Amino acid sequence: MNNTIKLAVHGAAGRMGQRVVALASGADTVDDTSGFTVVGAIDHSSHPKIGQDAGVVAGVRSLDVPVSADWPEKAEVVIDFSLPEAFDACVARCVSAACPLVVATTGLSDQQKESLAEAAQTIPIVWAPSMSLAVNLSMRMAQQITKALRDVAGGVDIEILERHHRFKADAPSGTALKFGELIADAMNADDPVKHVHGREGHTGQRSRNEIGYHAIRVGDNPGEHTIVFGMLGEKIELNVAASNRDCYASGALAAAKWLMRGNDGGPMPAGLYNMFDVLGMADADA
Ligand SMILES: NC(=O)c1ccc[n+]([C@@H]2O[C@H](COP(=O)([O-])OP(=O)(O)OC[C@H]3O[C@@H](n4cnc5c(N)ncnc54)[C@H](O)[C@@H]3O)[C@@H](O)[C@H]2O)c1
Ligand SMILES: O=C(O)C1=N[C@H](C(=O)O)CCC1
Protein backbone atom coordinates (compact mmCIF):
# COMPACT_ATOMS: atom_id res chain seq x y z
CA MET A 1 0.00 0.00 0.00
CA ASN A 2 1.30 3.45 -0.89
CA ASN A 3 1.11 5.54 2.27
CA THR A 4 3.25 8.41 1.05
CA ILE A 5 1.98 11.93 1.69
CA LYS A 6 0.19 13.48 -1.31
CA LEU A 7 1.86 16.83 -1.86
CA ALA A 8 0.93 19.85 -3.97
CA VAL A 9 3.59 22.50 -4.62
CA HIS A 10 2.42 26.08 -5.17
CA GLY A 11 4.90 28.04 -7.27
CA ALA A 12 6.15 24.70 -8.67
CA ALA A 13 7.97 26.11 -11.70
CA GLY A 14 9.95 28.65 -9.67
CA ARG A 15 13.49 28.32 -8.34
CA MET A 16 12.34 26.89 -5.01
CA GLY A 17 9.28 25.03 -6.30
CA GLN A 18 11.50 23.02 -8.64
CA ARG A 19 13.80 21.94 -5.79
CA VAL A 20 10.82 20.91 -3.66
CA VAL A 21 9.43 18.84 -6.54
CA ALA A 22 12.89 17.31 -7.12
CA LEU A 23 13.48 16.32 -3.48
CA ALA A 24 9.88 15.18 -2.95
CA SER A 25 10.20 12.88 -5.94
CA GLY A 26 13.16 11.16 -4.30
CA ALA A 27 15.86 12.70 -6.44
CA ASP A 28 18.32 12.94 -3.58
CA THR A 29 17.44 9.96 -1.44
CA VAL A 30 19.35 6.68 -1.51
CA ASP A 31 16.24 4.52 -1.99
CA ASP A 32 14.23 6.93 -4.15
CA THR A 33 11.54 7.37 -1.49
CA SER A 34 11.11 10.74 0.14
CA GLY A 35 7.84 9.80 1.83
CA PHE A 36 5.92 12.05 -0.59
CA THR A 37 4.08 11.67 -3.86
CA VAL A 38 3.81 14.89 -5.85
CA VAL A 39 0.16 15.11 -6.96
CA GLY A 40 -0.01 18.79 -7.87
CA ALA A 41 2.38 21.36 -9.35
CA ILE A 42 0.61 24.71 -9.41
CA ASP A 43 1.89 27.83 -11.09
CA HIS A 44 0.53 30.95 -12.77
CA SER A 45 -1.49 30.33 -15.95
CA SER A 46 0.92 32.53 -17.91
CA HIS A 47 4.04 30.61 -16.89
CA PRO A 48 5.84 29.24 -19.99
CA LYS A 49 6.19 25.78 -18.37
CA ILE A 50 2.42 25.29 -17.96
CA GLY A 51 1.46 21.87 -19.34
CA GLN A 52 4.99 20.44 -19.06
CA ASP A 53 5.77 17.59 -16.68
CA ALA A 54 6.72 19.03 -13.26
CA GLY A 55 9.45 16.41 -12.69
CA VAL A 56 11.03 17.17 -16.04
CA VAL A 57 10.82 20.91 -15.37
CA ALA A 58 12.59 20.25 -12.04
CA GLY A 59 15.31 18.34 -13.91
CA VAL A 60 14.60 14.91 -12.40
CA ARG A 61 12.22 12.44 -14.13
CA SER A 62 8.70 12.34 -15.49
CA LEU A 63 6.14 12.34 -12.68
CA ASP A 64 3.01 12.37 -14.84
CA VAL A 65 2.04 15.61 -13.10
CA PRO A 66 1.81 18.67 -15.35
CA VAL A 67 2.61 22.16 -14.16
CA SER A 68 -0.90 23.60 -14.04
CA ALA A 69 -2.88 26.60 -12.86
CA ASP A 70 -5.53 24.17 -11.54
CA TRP A 71 -5.47 22.76 -8.04
CA PRO A 72 -5.45 18.96 -7.66
CA GLU A 73 -8.36 17.38 -5.77
CA LYS A 74 -6.33 14.86 -3.84
CA ALA A 75 -3.53 16.86 -2.16
CA GLU A 76 -3.09 16.17 1.56
CA VAL A 77 -0.65 19.03 2.16
CA VAL A 78 0.51 22.11 0.23
CA ILE A 79 3.95 23.78 0.19
CA ASP A 80 3.90 27.39 -1.03
CA PHE A 81 7.00 29.07 -2.47
CA SER A 82 5.41 31.71 -4.68
CA LEU A 83 4.84 35.46 -4.51
CA PRO A 84 2.75 37.69 -2.23
CA GLU A 85 0.40 38.32 -5.19
CA ALA A 86 -0.35 34.59 -5.34
CA PHE A 87 -0.65 34.07 -1.62
CA ASP A 88 -4.32 35.01 -0.92
CA ALA A 89 -5.75 32.50 -3.39
CA CYS A 90 -3.45 29.78 -2.05
CA VAL A 91 -4.58 30.30 1.55
CA ALA A 92 -8.26 30.50 0.53
CA ARG A 93 -7.93 27.25 -1.42
CA CYS A 94 -6.27 25.43 1.50
CA VAL A 95 -8.92 26.64 3.94
CA SER A 96 -11.79 25.56 1.67
CA ALA A 97 -10.16 22.14 1.11
CA ALA A 98 -9.21 21.80 4.83
CA CYS A 99 -5.66 21.15 3.65
CA PRO A 100 -2.57 21.75 5.87
CA LEU A 101 -0.19 24.37 4.46
CA VAL A 102 3.51 25.26 4.65
CA VAL A 103 4.05 28.95 3.80
CA ALA A 104 7.60 29.88 2.77
CA THR A 105 6.80 32.94 0.65
CA THR A 106 8.27 36.17 2.04
CA GLY A 107 7.32 39.83 1.61
CA LEU A 108 3.75 39.33 2.88
CA SER A 109 1.80 42.45 3.87
CA ASP A 110 0.51 42.98 7.41
CA GLN A 111 -2.98 42.23 6.14
CA GLN A 112 -1.80 38.94 4.64
CA LYS A 113 -0.16 38.02 7.95
CA GLU A 114 -3.49 38.66 9.67
CA SER A 115 -5.35 36.48 7.19
CA LEU A 116 -2.77 33.75 7.79
CA ALA A 117 -3.49 33.85 11.52
CA GLU A 118 -7.21 33.69 10.77
CA ALA A 119 -6.77 30.72 8.41
CA ALA A 120 -4.75 28.96 11.12
CA GLN A 121 -7.88 28.84 13.25
CA THR A 122 -9.23 26.22 10.85
CA ILE A 123 -6.17 24.51 9.32
CA PRO A 124 -2.63 23.78 10.59
CA ILE A 125 -0.04 26.08 9.01
CA VAL A 126 3.75 26.26 9.30
CA TRP A 127 4.94 29.74 8.38
CA ALA A 128 8.62 30.69 8.41
CA PRO A 129 10.78 33.04 6.35
CA SER A 130 13.55 30.44 6.40
CA MET A 131 13.03 26.69 6.39
CA SER A 132 16.77 26.13 6.89
CA LEU A 133 17.97 24.26 9.99
CA ALA A 134 21.18 26.32 10.14
CA VAL A 135 19.27 29.62 9.95
CA ASN A 136 16.82 28.65 12.67
CA LEU A 137 19.66 27.50 14.94
CA SER A 138 21.45 30.79 14.24
CA MET A 139 18.33 32.71 15.24
CA ARG A 140 18.42 31.02 18.64
CA MET A 141 22.15 31.80 18.92
CA ALA A 142 21.55 35.45 17.99
CA GLN A 143 18.99 35.72 20.77
CA GLN A 144 21.46 34.25 23.27
CA ILE A 145 24.31 36.52 22.19
CA THR A 146 22.01 39.54 22.43
CA LYS A 147 20.99 38.63 25.97
CA ALA A 148 24.60 38.05 27.00
CA LEU A 149 25.75 41.41 25.60
CA ARG A 150 22.79 43.74 26.07
CA ASP A 151 24.13 45.25 29.31
CA VAL A 152 27.82 45.19 28.38
CA ALA A 153 29.83 48.27 29.39
CA GLY A 154 30.06 50.60 26.38
CA GLY A 155 27.09 48.97 24.66
CA VAL A 156 26.68 46.68 21.68
CA ASP A 157 25.59 47.71 18.17
CA ILE A 158 23.68 45.07 16.26
CA GLU A 159 23.49 45.19 12.45
CA ILE A 160 22.07 42.61 10.05
CA LEU A 161 23.65 42.12 6.62
CA GLU A 162 21.91 39.91 4.12
CA ARG A 163 23.05 38.80 0.65
CA HIS A 164 20.80 37.23 -1.94
CA HIS A 165 20.70 36.60 -5.68
CA ARG A 166 19.92 39.44 -8.08
CA PHE A 167 16.44 38.03 -8.87
CA LYS A 168 15.06 38.40 -5.35
CA ALA A 169 12.03 40.68 -5.32
CA ASP A 170 11.71 41.65 -1.63
CA ALA A 171 14.17 43.47 0.64
CA PRO A 172 15.27 43.09 3.29
CA SER A 173 14.81 39.34 3.33
CA GLY A 174 12.07 37.84 5.46
CA THR A 175 14.84 36.07 7.37
CA ALA A 176 16.64 39.34 8.17
CA LEU A 177 13.38 40.82 9.45
CA LYS A 178 12.80 37.75 11.62
CA PHE A 179 16.35 37.95 13.02
CA GLY A 180 15.61 41.61 13.82
CA GLU A 181 12.30 40.81 15.52
CA LEU A 182 13.86 38.10 17.71
CA ILE A 183 16.90 40.24 18.56
CA ALA A 184 14.68 43.24 19.41
CA ASP A 185 12.75 41.04 21.86
CA ALA A 186 16.00 39.81 23.40
CA MET A 187 17.32 43.40 23.77
CA ASN A 188 14.51 44.00 26.25
CA ALA A 189 15.11 47.75 25.87
CA ASP A 190 13.21 50.42 27.82
CA ASP A 191 12.54 52.40 24.64
CA PRO A 192 11.09 50.83 21.47
CA VAL A 193 13.83 49.42 19.23
CA LYS A 194 14.27 51.36 15.95
CA HIS A 195 14.65 49.30 12.79
CA VAL A 196 16.93 51.31 10.46
CA HIS A 197 17.13 50.27 6.80
CA GLY A 198 20.46 51.39 5.29
CA ARG A 199 22.18 54.71 6.03
CA GLU A 200 23.01 57.66 3.82
CA GLY A 201 24.03 61.27 4.27
CA HIS A 202 24.61 63.09 7.54
CA THR A 203 22.89 60.55 9.76
CA GLY A 204 24.53 61.60 13.02
CA GLN A 205 25.80 59.13 15.57
CA ARG A 206 24.23 55.74 15.81
CA SER A 207 21.71 55.48 18.64
CA ARG A 208 21.99 52.61 21.11
CA ASN A 209 18.55 51.09 20.66
CA GLU A 210 18.55 50.50 16.93
CA ILE A 211 19.04 47.53 14.65
CA GLY A 212 20.49 48.25 11.19
CA TYR A 213 19.58 46.25 8.07
CA HIS A 214 21.63 46.12 4.85
CA ALA A 215 20.37 44.19 1.83
CA ILE A 216 22.97 43.17 -0.76
CA ARG A 217 21.90 41.71 -4.12
CA VAL A 218 24.67 39.83 -5.92
CA GLY A 219 24.77 37.17 -8.62
CA ASP A 220 23.24 33.81 -7.73
CA ASN A 221 23.74 33.87 -3.94
CA PRO A 222 21.09 31.48 -2.49
CA GLY A 223 21.02 33.32 0.85
CA GLU A 224 23.47 34.53 3.47
CA HIS A 225 22.95 36.42 6.73
CA THR A 226 25.58 38.02 8.96
CA ILE A 227 24.64 39.44 12.33
CA VAL A 228 27.30 41.84 13.59
CA PHE A 229 27.52 42.47 17.33
CA GLY A 230 29.92 45.41 17.53
CA MET A 231 31.36 46.55 20.86
CA LEU A 232 34.15 48.95 21.78
CA GLY A 233 37.34 46.97 21.20
CA GLU A 234 35.87 43.72 19.84
CA LYS A 235 33.07 42.23 17.79
CA ILE A 236 31.23 38.99 17.09
CA GLU A 237 29.93 38.10 13.62
CA LEU A 238 27.40 35.31 13.31
CA ASN A 239 27.35 34.15 9.69
CA VAL A 240 24.98 31.61 8.17
CA ALA A 241 25.05 30.89 4.45
CA ALA A 242 23.32 28.48 2.11
CA SER A 243 25.45 26.70 -0.50
CA ASN A 244 22.33 25.92 -2.52
CA ARG A 245 18.52 25.96 -2.13
CA ASP A 246 18.09 22.42 -0.85
CA CYS A 247 18.34 23.47 2.80
CA TYR A 248 15.07 25.41 2.29
CA ALA A 249 13.39 22.70 0.20
CA SER A 250 14.23 19.88 2.62
CA GLY A 251 13.15 22.07 5.56
CA ALA A 252 9.80 22.71 3.88
CA LEU A 253 9.33 18.98 3.29
CA ALA A 254 10.18 18.30 6.96
CA ALA A 255 7.56 20.89 7.92
CA ALA A 256 4.94 19.26 5.66
CA LYS A 257 5.72 15.84 7.15
CA TRP A 258 5.46 17.28 10.67
CA LEU A 259 2.04 18.77 9.88
CA MET A 260 0.84 15.35 8.70
CA ARG A 261 2.53 13.14 11.28
CA GLY A 262 3.23 15.47 14.22
CA ASN A 263 5.60 14.39 16.97
CA ASP A 264 3.75 11.20 17.83
CA GLY A 265 2.50 10.01 14.44
CA GLY A 266 -0.79 11.93 14.36
CA PRO A 267 -1.66 15.04 12.33
CA MET A 268 -1.19 18.46 13.92
CA PRO A 269 -4.35 20.34 14.93
CA ALA A 270 -5.24 23.74 13.43
CA GLY A 271 -2.79 26.43 14.53
CA LEU A 272 -0.01 28.71 13.36
CA TYR A 273 3.37 27.03 13.77
CA ASN A 274 6.94 27.93 12.82
CA MET A 275 10.20 26.11 12.16
CA PHE A 276 11.16 26.24 15.84
CA ASP A 277 8.10 24.03 16.43
CA VAL A 278 9.05 21.67 13.59
CA LEU A 279 12.68 21.42 14.76
CA GLY A 280 11.79 20.95 18.43
CA MET A 281 13.34 24.30 19.40
CA ALA A 282 10.17 26.09 20.50
CA ASP A 283 11.03 25.81 24.19
CA ALA A 284 14.74 26.45 23.78
CA ASP A 285 16.07 28.82 26.42
CA ALA A 286 16.37 31.72 24.00
N1 LIG B 1 11.08 30.33 3.63
C1 LIG B 1 12.18 29.95 2.98
O1 LIG B 1 12.99 29.12 3.45
C2 LIG B 1 12.45 30.52 1.63
C3 LIG B 1 13.56 30.10 0.89
C4 LIG B 1 13.72 30.56 -0.41
C5 LIG B 1 12.79 31.43 -0.94
N2 LIG B 1 11.75 31.84 -0.18
C6 LIG B 1 10.71 32.70 -0.72
O2 LIG B 1 9.93 31.91 -1.60
C7 LIG B 1 9.39 32.74 -2.62
C8 LIG B 1 9.72 32.14 -3.98
O3 LIG B 1 11.10 32.20 -4.21
P1 LIG B 1 11.70 31.71 -5.61
O4 LIG B 1 13.14 32.10 -5.61
O5 LIG B 1 11.33 30.29 -5.87
O6 LIG B 1 10.91 32.67 -6.62
P2 LIG B 1 10.51 32.40 -8.14
O7 LIG B 1 10.13 33.73 -8.68
O8 LIG B 1 11.57 31.62 -8.83
O9 LIG B 1 9.22 31.47 -8.03
C9 LIG B 1 7.93 31.93 -7.74
C10 LIG B 1 6.96 31.10 -8.56
O10 LIG B 1 5.63 31.46 -8.19
C11 LIG B 1 4.90 31.49 -9.38
N3 LIG B 1 3.64 32.23 -9.29
C12 LIG B 1 3.41 33.54 -9.51
N4 LIG B 1 2.10 33.82 -9.43
C13 LIG B 1 1.48 32.65 -9.15
C14 LIG B 1 0.13 32.28 -8.95
N5 LIG B 1 -0.86 33.19 -9.01
N6 LIG B 1 -0.15 30.99 -8.67
C15 LIG B 1 0.83 30.06 -8.61
N7 LIG B 1 2.14 30.35 -8.80
C16 LIG B 1 2.46 31.63 -9.06
C17 LIG B 1 5.85 32.11 -10.39
O11 LIG B 1 5.40 31.91 -11.73
C18 LIG B 1 7.12 31.37 -10.06
O12 LIG B 1 7.22 30.16 -10.78
C19 LIG B 1 9.97 34.13 -2.38
O13 LIG B 1 9.04 34.87 -1.61
C20 LIG B 1 11.21 33.86 -1.55
O14 LIG B 1 11.59 34.94 -0.75
C21 LIG B 1 11.57 31.41 1.08
O1 LIG C 1 15.88 33.31 -2.44
C1 LIG C 1 15.12 33.92 -1.66
O2 LIG C 1 14.30 34.76 -2.06
C2 LIG C 1 15.17 33.63 -0.22
N1 LIG C 1 14.31 34.24 0.56
C3 LIG C 1 14.13 33.99 1.94
C4 LIG C 1 14.00 35.28 2.73
O3 LIG C 1 13.53 36.30 2.18
O4 LIG C 1 14.35 35.29 3.91
C5 LIG C 1 15.03 32.98 2.56
C6 LIG C 1 16.30 32.73 1.81
C7 LIG C 1 16.15 32.65 0.30
Side-chain angles (χ1 to χ4, degrees):
M1 194 178 84
N2 179 356
N3 63 356
T4 57
I5 297 168
K6 296 183 183 68
L7 169 71
V9 182
H10 187 243
R15 284 174 289 270
M16 279 309 309
Q18 289 185 37
R19 290 313 300 158
V20 175
V21 169
L23 296 195
S25 61
D28 256 22
T29 56
V30 178
D31 60 2
D32 253 19
T33 53
S34 66
F36 290 91
T37 302
V38 178
V39 298
I42 305 132
D43 212 289
H44 194 271
S45 57
S46 69
H47 197 286
K49 305 279 182 189
I50 286 285
Q52 296 184 28
D53 187 280
V56 174
V57 168
V60 280
R61 60 184 163 83
S62 174
L63 299 175
D64 278 338
V65 176
V67 177
S68 170
D70 299 328
W71 285 81
E73 288 304 322
K74 51 192 176 184
E76 292 175 302
V77 64
V78 171
I79 294 179
D80 165 58
F81 278 98
S82 62
L83 296 172
E85 303 89 281
F87 167 85
D88 297 340
C90 175
V91 174
R93 170 70 199 201
C94 290
V95 168
S96 71
C99 185
L101 169 65
V102 176
V103 178
T105 299
T106 58
L108 302 180
S109 67
D110 288 345
Q111 201 184 340
Q112 287 177 317
K113 290 175 195 168
E114 278 170 31
S115 74
L116 200 55
E118 201 180 312
Q121 290 175 13
T122 53
I123 57 169
I125 298 176
V126 173
W127 171 44
S130 180
M131 301 287 159
S132 140
L133 168 65
V135 166
N136 282 277
L137 270 173
S138 302
M139 285 175 174
R140 286 304 197 207
M141 290 161 76
Q143 286 178 291
Q144 284 177 350
I145 296 172
T146 304
K147 284 187 180 177
L149 295 180
R150 66 188 173 201
D151 298 321
V152 72
V156 58
D157 302 321
I158 306 177
E159 304 264 321
I160 301 172
L161 284 63
E162 58 99 332
R163 294 167 203 241
H164 283 86
H165 52 94
R166 66 168 71 129
F167 310 103
K168 185 162 176 60
D170 55 317
S173 68
T175 306
L177 293 170
K178 188 71 186 176
F179 265 111
E181 183 190 315
L182 294 169
I183 289 168
D185 280 352
M187 281 166 76
N188 200 22
D190 292 336
D191 299 321
V193 173
K194 279 188 279 176
H195 297 271
V196 177
H197 296 275
R199 287 193 189 80
E200 191 187 23
H202 189 77
T203 56
Q205 286 190 12
R206 188 190 195 284
S207 71
R208 291 288 278 273
N209 66 329
E210 68 186 54
I211 298 175
Y213 298 80
H214 308 278
I216 297 159
R217 294 290 171 264
V218 279
D220 57 358
N221 192 317
E224 178 170 355
H225 293 81
T226 305
I227 319 302
V228 185
F229 299 86
M231 293 161 282
L232 300 179
E234 56 187 348
K235 70 164 190 248
I236 297 172
E237 293 199 5
L238 180 61
N239 176 265
V240 57
S243 324
N244 59 50
R245 294 187 164 81
D246 286 5
C247 55
Y248 312 124
S250 59
L253 288 168
K257 211 170 267 184
W258 182 81
L259 283 176
M260 297 303 294
R261 307 265 155 88
N263 298 319
D264 53 11
M268 293 305 294
L272 190 54
Y273 305 101
N274 56 37
M275 282 307 279
F276 292 146
D277 297 308
V278 175
L279 296 168
M281 298 194 295
D283 299 326
D285 180 23

